[in-house]
Amino acid sequence: FFYKKLIKKLLTFIIICNRGNFYDYKEGKMRKKRTSVVHRICTLVGSLFCFILIPLLLINCTLMIKSITNKNEVPDIGGIFPMVILTDSMNPQLASGDLVICRKVNAKNIKTGDVICFYDPAGNGTATVTHRVTEIITDETGALAWITKGDANNTEDEKPVRSENLAGIYCWRLPGLGNTAMFMQSTKGILLCVVCPLLLMAAYDKSCDLRQKKEKEKSTEALLAELDVLRAEREEKSGLKGECKL
């Protein structure tokens, strides 16, 4: 339901340009009102704003909901999930503040040289690390595991990474967008990037509905006035015909 409301707002901005049309009862056809340059610019900016904002809101809200409902897994959409790089251990390929896109894969498909995202076996169980696989091994139980290392580090990671700790494999990066993503998940970011835009869209949509209602009332009044004129002309013609017969 929430997503349907957001999509409705997007469609509202897309079709708002057509709301300038009105029916001319005198000419019997649709005509287009002259709109100001400011109105056209605002409409264009609003449409572009929604095209950018709505997908970000959908992705952000989905990831937030999944992170709350399933705290033991990295939230994803169709097996794809973003991660924020917090250190420079993978320089020069990845830098602190980058947003990386990863995807879930079968552990058996991981090869030496792949950059993987995994739950740090030396951490608290929830921290994730994105490092390169330097060697494929089996642990003391005979299970699949990997030796990993950051490109900028001098030594390999302290503990091998077991297949059950694999989150996904690195696909590509968006330089510097990690800081923006982290801000959008903060309280201020949610208020600024989610709550405020929704309130603005709701207010704008309401104002458009009110304006459309007023235009409809004016069109109705114009139609009634036209009908009164036609009725008066008809009565006048009827009166003239009656006088001619007499």
Side-chain angles (χ1 to χ4, degrees):
F1 177 77
F2 177 73
Y3 292 164
K4 288 182 179 179
K5 293 289 288 184
L6 289 179
I7 294 173
K8 180 184 176 182
K9 300 302 179 185
L10 174 61
L11 293 176
T12 299
F13 274 99
I14 295 175
I15 67 175
I16 195 63
C17 294
N18 296 325
R19 287 188 172 180
N21 297 337
F22 70 101
Y23 188 77
D24 191 328
Y25 293 99
K26 292 184 177 180
E27 297 186 9
K29 62 181 180 179
M30 293 297 294
R31 296 185 62 185
K32 189 171 184 178
K33 288 185 177 180
R34 294 181 179 179
T35 55
S36 64
V37 176
V38 175
H39 181 268
R40 293 177 181 177
I41 293 175
C42 291
T43 300
L44 178 61
V45 172
S47 300
L48 293 175
F49 180 72
C50 281
F51 271 117
I52 297 172
L53 179 64
I54 294 296
L56 290 177
L57 287 177
L58 293 176
I59 293 172
N60 197 36
C61 291
T62 300
L63 294 176
M64 288 175 61
I65 292 172
K66 283 194 171 186
S67 64
I68 294 173
T69 56
N70 195 347
K71 297 182 179 180
N72 296 325
E73 292 186 8
V74 175
D76 68 278
I77 300 177
I80 305 296
F81 60 92
M83 298 296 291
V84 179
I85 303 299
L86 300 177
T87 68
D88 291 323
S89 63
M90 281 296 293
N91 265 340
Q93 184 171 355
L94 303 176
S96 175
D98 286 352
L99 181 70
V100 297
I101 306 300
C102 305
R103 62 182 174 87
K104 293 185 175 181
V105 294
N106 191 315
K108 296 180 180 179
N109 295 332
I110 299 298
K111 305 182 296 295
T112 301
D114 288 341
V115 177
I116 62 173
C117 178
F118 56 89
Y119 292 99
D120 188 3
N124 57 10
T126 60
T128 56
V129 178
T130 303
H131 279 177
R132 192 180 304 278
V133 175
T134 59
E135 185 180 353
I136 301 174
I137 63 171
T138 54
D139 62 12
E140 60 276 4
T141 64
L144 176 64
W146 306 281
I147 301 297
T148 55
K149 176 180 175 296
D151 291 353
N153 294 343
N154 296 324
T155 60
E156 295 174 336
D157 294 335
E158 181 181 350
K159 294 183 179 180
V161 180
R162 301 179 64 180
S163 58
E164 62 189 38
N165 288 337
L166 177 67
I169 187 171
Y170 162 78
C171 296
W172 69 88
R173 73 174 181 132
L174 300 172
L177 287 184
N179 295 327
T180 303
M182 292 183 67
F183 172 74
M184 289 182 66
Q185 293 183 358
S186 66
T187 303
K188 291 183 179 179
I190 292 174
L191 289 174
L192 183 63
C193 301
V194 179
V195 178
C196 289
L198 288 177
L199 292 176
L200 289 174
M201 284 191 290
Y204 184 77
D205 186 59
K206 185 66 176 179
S207 66
C208 289
D209 290 338
L210 292 175
R211 185 170 65 251
Q212 189 179 29
K213 184 178 179 180
K214 290 181 179 179
E215 291 176 355
K216 186 177 180 180
E217 291 175 352
K218 289 182 180 179
S219 298
T220 302
E221 291 176 358
L223 175 60
L224 293 174
E226 184 69 19
L227 290 175
D228 290 338
V229 172
L230 293 174
R231 189 181 296 110
E233 291 178 353
R234 183 177 179 182
E235 292 176 354
E236 184 179 351
K237 289 180 180 179
S238 299
L240 291 175
K241 287 181 179 180
E243 291 177 0
C244 290
K245 289 181 180 180
L246 293 175

